[in-house]
Amino acid sequence: GSAGTVGDGAYSTDVQRGVPGAIAGDPDLAAGFSGGANMRVPYTATLNPGGPYSIEFWAKPNSLNAFACPVSSTDFSVSPRLGWLFYQDDGSVAVQDGWVFRGYNSGGTGQINSPAGTVTTDWQHVVAVFDPANNAITLYINGQSMASRPLSGATATPNAAQPLSIGVRYDNGFAFNGSLDEVALY
């Protein structure tokens, strides 16, 4: 595969390959994550736009009541923090068994979350859309809008140095335990 894909072991660690994917009939397979397994796509400005953008992935957590980061493009080594991330929330941040999207900027953290109980152990399609025209994030789960709201403070500031991380936050925090498929940024 090309750099940064599951097929290129240079950028993945302990990822289970060949997991049945989310989309029936799709020959592409998903990746399984547990115990800190992750994939890293080297930093590029193309994967860190200022907006507008959409980030999507299919997720199948192995369990509920977990606090984990399935996908992120963040940099916490600077102040203020930069970039964006998703959490599977156990109630630590916002809601029990909900999806959380965070965008970081000079005004602080903009956060949006799905209602409690929307995370399941079945495949789910999770999408966040950032519209810089109104500085708003919309979160969709399985094609349904869960919430939309403006980010606090200034416009979301892209990560400027760290890799796109799949299966764990860029700093190895909050490992995701489950399967991920079709991660994409538009």
Side-chain angles (χ1 to χ4, degrees):
S2 61
T5 67
V6 174
D8 186 345
Y11 297 107
S12 63
T13 304
D14 300 325
V15 174
Q16 179 186 357
R17 301 171 196 285
V19 174
I23 302 170
D26 184 353
D28 293 331
L29 297 173
F33 298 85
S34 64
N38 65 82
M39 290 187 291
R40 308 292 174 127
V41 180
Y43 173 81
T44 173
T46 304
L47 293 176
N48 292 280
Y53 58 76
S54 298
I55 304 142
E56 71 171 323
F57 61 93
W58 286 86
K60 185 178 181 182
N62 286 340
S63 63
L64 301 178
N65 195 29
F67 188 69
C69 183
V71 182
S72 74
S73 182
T74 53
D75 187 351
F76 291 179
S77 69
V78 296
S79 184
R81 294 175 171 184
L82 302 176
W84 54 264
L85 59 72
F86 288 90
Y87 284 127
Q88 173 189 348
D89 193 7
D90 63 357
S92 298
V93 172
V95 293
Q96 180 72 39
D97 293 325
W99 292 106
V100 174
F101 178 84
R102 282 186 168 178
Y104 296 94
N105 57 53
S106 61
T109 303
Q111 178 174 298
I112 191 166
N113 49 272
S114 66
T118 51
V119 172
T120 71
T121 55
D122 295 321
W123 280 110
Q124 292 185 289
H125 187 232
V126 181
V127 180
V129 177
F130 174 60
D131 177 4
N134 59 15
N135 200 33
I137 293 286
T138 304
L139 181 64
Y140 297 89
I141 308 298
N142 294 331
Q144 295 184 351
S145 175
M146 295 286 120
S148 184
R149 64 173 285 222
L151 289 174
S152 60
T155 301
T157 305
N159 163 25
Q162 301 299 329
L164 172 72
S165 298
I166 301 170
V168 68
R169 201 168 69 183
Y170 95 94
D171 60 357
N172 292 320
F174 309 107
F176 181 76
N177 184 1
S179 299
L180 295 169
D181 196 10
E182 306 292 332
V183 176
L185 176 109
Y186 303 96

